[in-house]
Amino acid sequence: MNGLRQWWALPVDYGWNVAYARYQRALDITRVLIGVCCWLYGIAAAIALTIPGIGDSNLGRWTLWFTLGTTVPVGVAWFIGGWPSWRMSLAFVVYADVALAAVVLTVDSPSAVLPMAALFTVVGSYVVGFHGPKLVTAHHVFALVTTIALYVSAMVSDPAQGPRTNLYLVMLILVMLAAPLICHFFLMLLRRDATGAFYDPLTGMRNRRGFDAAIGALESRPGSELAVVAVVIDIDNFKSVNDRYGHEHGDAAIRLTASRILEVFPAPAISVRLGGEEFAVICADGLETVMRRSELLRTRLCARSDTAPLTASLGVAEAVVVTREIHTGVDEVLAYADQAMYQAKGLGGDRVAHYVDDSRSGRDGDEQQ
């Protein structure tokens, strides 16, 4: 029971799965494959319409025509659209499950169409691949209930085929439940371990790999361009902190800095420990808001109540980036913010500097030394 509770509460969610697949450059081929599967569903419906005894009833023919008419545009959407949001993905799963259930439950000859319930496995593969335990459970319960209803209908309408119908049911349970759930279990274990590769163990912040994955998720935002503001934070004279107080105190200082960054720049801002005593934040807020938060962070980092008060130099830069080239655009704006941070250090540190596009100077933010 404890294992089941842990499985049910796994923190790996749709957003993380999509970000990980995007980081691995796997989303484009996945979209194509899903689009092809949608069209194959439509082809199967078209073939069923030509088979005598399958779609003879009005309701059965209507559901087959509905499937044929909707799978074509849905497949096109997967081909030419971006990756769907969580709500759109959920809507797609509901559409696929309900449409398939409507077809198998309304067409004639339930004993003949019972094997078609195996198509729930195709939808289940998508759910297992991108969604968490809750939707996986909901999908499989729905598929199992639909299959049992179809099985009962087949046994009532054609009892002479009882042994074959029983065989179909056992095979369907194995195909729909056993294999996907085993795959889901091991995928969840792998994903749980993989999350550790995306976060810095000392601070709990994203490392560079996790940062790249989170930045990649911005590609799914609407619009072709996105205004971003980058902040680069570097603790001043950190080597002297280690030399004077020891590395254990230095680690505590790094953790404290990270916690204060996350307090001032909470999600949806994307924060990262770049390495050593250097951090960065990517925000979609306006420049003035980010400048105010950066100044607030500067003052919080040098709290006099700390055992060894820290100071930091912060560089801020803004840019409009193309969402389709989000990684290149973010790397550029981070480089600008990094230049501004070094300008702040050159002015003595413990200040915020804003990168100016003409590269002639860095404009200091509101300073408090």
Side-chain angles (χ1 to χ4, degrees):
M1 290 301 297
N2 185 53
L4 286 175
R5 283 194 296 269
Q6 291 179 354
W7 167 76
W8 187 257
L10 279 174
V12 179
D13 58 8
Y14 176 76
W16 188 94
N17 291 333
V18 172
Y20 181 76
R22 181 178 282 110
Y23 178 81
Q24 298 293 340
R25 302 293 189 268
L27 284 187
D28 287 341
I29 184 63
T30 303
R31 286 195 300 107
V32 171
L33 292 175
I34 294 174
V36 169
C37 287
C38 290
W39 289 349
L40 289 175
Y41 266 79
I43 292 173
I47 294 173
L49 285 168
T50 66
I51 299 176
I54 296 293
D56 292 343
S57 67
N58 290 333
L59 186 57
R61 293 188 68 82
W62 187 90
T63 57
L64 287 171
W65 277 111
F66 173 81
T67 301
L68 177 60
T70 56
T71 50
V72 173
V74 170
V76 170
W78 276 105
F79 269 101
I80 66 176
W83 193 266
S85 65
W86 178 84
R87 291 182 182 275
M88 290 301 296
S89 178
L90 178 61
F92 171 71
V93 173
V94 172
Y95 154 77
D97 277 348
V98 171
L100 180 56
V103 168
V104 298
L105 292 176
T106 59
V107 298
D108 301 321
S109 303
S111 59
V113 300
L114 182 60
M116 290 176 58
L119 292 175
F120 279 113
T121 306
V122 180
V123 184
S125 299
Y126 171 78
V127 177
V128 166
F130 289 95
H131 286 275
K134 296 177 179 62
L135 189 59
V136 169
T137 301
H139 161 77
H140 284 92
V141 168
F142 180 82
L144 182 61
V145 170
T146 302
T147 302
I148 291 175
L150 184 60
Y151 165 78
V152 172
S153 177
M155 291 293 287
V156 171
S157 64
D158 195 0
Q161 298 295 327
R164 185 178 65 176
T165 303
N166 290 329
L167 176 62
Y168 284 160
L169 179 65
V170 173
M171 293 174 60
L172 284 170
I173 291 176
L174 288 173
V175 171
M176 291 193 307
L177 298 181
L181 291 180
I182 291 173
C183 291
H184 171 72
F185 175 74
F186 282 102
L187 279 174
M188 287 295 101
L189 292 179
L190 291 172
R191 287 169 181 166
R192 185 183 63 184
D193 292 340
T195 55
F198 282 71
Y199 292 90
D200 172 49
L202 179 62
T203 63
M205 296 180 76
R206 292 180 180 88
N207 58 21
R208 188 62 200 233
R209 187 178 184 184
F211 179 72
D212 289 343
I215 292 300
L218 296 177
E219 289 181 351
S220 61
R221 289 201 174 192
S224 59
E225 294 181 334
L226 177 66
V228 298
V229 182
V231 184
V232 172
I233 306 109
D234 191 271
I235 300 174
D236 296 326
N237 303 312
F238 184 71
K239 184 177 183 300
S240 64
V241 174
N242 277 330
D243 292 342
R244 182 175 180 180
Y245 298 99
H247 288 284
E248 184 175 346
H249 183 89
D251 289 346
I254 291 290
R255 287 194 294 268
L256 179 63
T257 301
S259 66
R260 289 176 176 171
I261 291 173
L262 294 172
E263 288 173 2
V264 176
F265 291 100
I270 302 171
S271 304
V272 57
R273 183 188 179 195
L274 295 175
E277 67 275 18
E278 190 171 10
F279 305 84
V281 182
I282 294 293
C283 306
D285 300 318
L287 174 63
E288 294 302 321
T289 299
V290 175
M291 291 292 290
R292 286 195 300 269
R293 289 187 180 182
S294 298
E295 182 61 26
L296 174 62
L297 175 61
R298 186 194 68 79
T299 59
R300 287 193 179 183
L301 286 177
C302 61
R304 302 305 173 188
S305 59
D306 293 343
T307 304
L310 299 172
T311 66
S313 299
L314 292 85
V316 181
E318 60 176 333
V320 176
V321 300
V322 178
T323 53
R324 292 291 184 181
E325 301 174 358
I326 191 71
H327 285 94
T328 300
V330 168
D331 285 343
E332 289 179 356
V333 73
L334 277 175
Y336 297 149
D338 195 56
Q339 291 181 38
M341 183 271 293
Y342 279 108
Q343 290 169 356
K345 281 192 176 295
L347 293 171
D350 190 19
R351 67 190 66 212
V352 179
H354 171 224
Y355 177 82
V356 178
D357 288 341
D358 60 11
S359 301
R360 289 177 299 183
S361 63
R363 176 176 67 83
D364 289 342
D366 296 333
E367 299 176 12
Q368 182 177 347
Q369 301 187 39

